[in-house]
Amino acid sequence: FGRMKPVIVVHGGAGRIFKEREEGSRAGVVRAALQGYDILKQGGSALDAVEEAVRSMEDDPHFNAGCGSVLNEKGEVEMDAIIMDGKNLDSGAVSAVKCIANPIKLARLVMEKTKHMLLTDHGAHLFAQAMGIPETPGEKLITKRSWERWRKNLEPDSNPEEIQKDLGTVGAVAIDSEGNVACATSTGGLSNKLIGRVGDTACIGSGGYADNCSGATSTTGHGESIMKVVLARLILYHMEQGMSPEMAADTALDYMKTRVGGLGGVIVVNNSGEWAARFSTKQMSWATVKDDQLHYGIYPGERHTKSVDEALVSESEGF
């Protein structure tokens, strides 16, 4: 064992990333990828690596997950998250959860401490209490940016659809040294969404899927479109038919666009450690580490490369 070279890929959401948030988004995905890779380098599991990478982005207010999540129609944060283990297809998810800082941790507990796969709203809240997860006051998760956007969307002439393009679900996929794959995805959902709306993120096969037989993927973009085509599972299906991660991602995204007019982005790793980060939106922040090399970007065709050591130095200097 221990023959596989570990790989991690993360995304910070597809959509339109406003200029003033570009640096923060880049730094955030790079930090998440480095933290996840650190676990893999030490022989840790893909599952721990993706959970840690996503937790890092939930704690970063630049992203629409955890702290920094967008608000529903009533001005509250309701979050969805999923995690999946490619070894045995175990998965845990939560939807419409409020007042916890890290929904991805709760999803992991659902997977490991219950016989269920998805807990929602009040039930998820009770389970979090039973597991001793500290409650975070709802307003602690609300950033000025989310609040201003929510207020603006309430105006009679506003077009939430337009503002929606800046989505920012976060996710991670990884393969560890034993060849196990995993995925994790977390989001605050759509701004000004109806109370109780659940998007693709909490849904297995849509927001993410992981299977050692083919690979792992995490998605971002217009949730309802992603659900219609079961995007994550569709990508793995294409890989099972012999496509490379990049080809499978592009084919599935293209299908979603032509069939239901939906835009999004995906990260993929296959069971031999090849990876891809692809999107049909204007932008998607992403980062990956493989062979001690970090790659990252936001725009189509953009790809910066640094050695991990170099990246860790600039990381400690705050970019």
Side-chain angles (χ1 to χ4, degrees):
F1 295 105
R3 282 186 301 271
M4 199 65 220
K5 279 189 173 159
V7 182
I8 186 158
V9 195
V10 305
H11 70 72
R16 194 180 53 190
I17 296 162
F18 298 114
K19 270 277 183 265
E20 71 272 12
R21 291 183 44 246
E22 247 178 54
E23 276 320 293
S25 297
R26 266 200 198 93
V29 288
V30 164
R31 186 176 306 124
L34 290 171
Q35 287 177 357
Y37 189 66
D38 190 47
I39 289 173
L40 296 172
K41 271 298 268 197
Q42 295 172 34
S45 69
L47 213 49
D48 286 345
V50 294
E51 182 187 358
E52 175 55 28
V54 165
R55 185 208 55 76
S56 161
M57 291 184 284
E58 285 177 341
D59 290 345
D60 184 332
H62 281 94
F63 302 109
N64 173 17
C67 173
S69 289
V70 298
L71 312 185
N72 67 12
E73 57 176 356
K74 249 179 72 182
E76 301 168 327
V77 166
E78 284 187 314
M79 300 164 290
D80 302 337
I82 192 167
I83 193 165
M84 186 166 182
D85 183 348
K87 191 167 22 182
N88 48 17
L89 306 188
D90 275 351
S91 178
V94 292
S95 72
V97 296
K98 300 185 186 80
C99 303
I100 63 164
N102 297 111
I104 200 63
K105 289 188 167 173
L106 192 56
R108 175 88 183 252
L109 288 168
V110 169
M111 175 171 82
E112 292 181 344
K113 306 286 185 203
T114 77
K115 293 190 175 75
H116 307 311
M117 285 173 74
L118 172 59
L119 290 182
T120 190
D121 198 354
H122 184 57
H125 176 72
L126 294 175
F127 176 64
Q129 281 180 330
M131 289 290 119
I133 289 187
E135 210 169 297
T136 304
E139 53 275 16
K140 274 249 164 65
L141 299 172
I142 298 176
T143 58
K144 188 163 180 272
R145 187 171 72 92
S146 299
W147 186 77
E148 282 173 353
R149 164 191 286 187
W150 171 74
R151 210 185 44 183
K152 205 169 153 188
N153 282 345
L154 291 179
E155 291 167 10
D157 58 348
S158 82
N159 177 4
E161 285 302 301
E162 193 35 53
I163 308 180
Q164 231 28 290
K165 295 202 170 84
D166 173 31
L167 289 167
T169 296
V170 305
V173 295
I175 186 164
D176 59 32
S177 56
E178 296 194 352
N180 293 313
V181 298
C183 71
T185 313
S186 180
T187 189
L190 291 178
S191 189
N192 299 62
K193 63 189 176 181
L194 294 181
I195 290 167
R197 178 262 187 188
V198 176
D200 64 295
T201 300
C203 302
I204 190 172
S206 293
Y209 203 81
D211 183 348
N212 281 5
C213 300
S214 45
T217 180
S218 167
T219 67
T220 167
H222 185 246
E224 282 72 12
S225 299
I226 290 170
M227 291 158 98
K228 287 174 187 175
V229 301
V230 197
L231 186 62
R233 191 66 192 83
L234 181 61
I235 292 166
L236 292 193
Y237 166 76
H238 287 314
M239 294 202 301
E240 288 158 4
Q241 306 300 305
M243 283 188 193
S244 68
E246 188 160 307
M247 184 77 190
D250 286 348
T251 304
L253 283 168
D254 195 50
Y255 176 72
M256 183 167 81
K257 193 172 173 178
T258 52
R259 187 70 180 86
V260 297
L263 301 179
V266 299
I267 49 172
V268 192
V269 64
N270 70 9
N271 58 5
S272 55
E274 296 176 288
W275 62 273
R278 309 293 291 168
F279 48 100
S280 52
T281 50
K282 283 203 174 71
Q283 289 142 291
M284 179 179 81
S285 54
W286 62 273
T288 183
V289 187
K290 180 179 182 175
D291 289 331
D292 288 317
Q293 291 288 306
L294 163 78
H295 309 277
Y296 60 97
I298 286 188
Y299 291 95
E302 176 193 0
R303 181 159 157 188
H304 306 281
T305 302
K306 284 180 180 178
S307 74
V308 164
D309 293 340
E310 196 187 338
L312 285 169
V313 169
S314 53
E315 171 73 9
S316 61
E317 289 165 2
F319 269 73

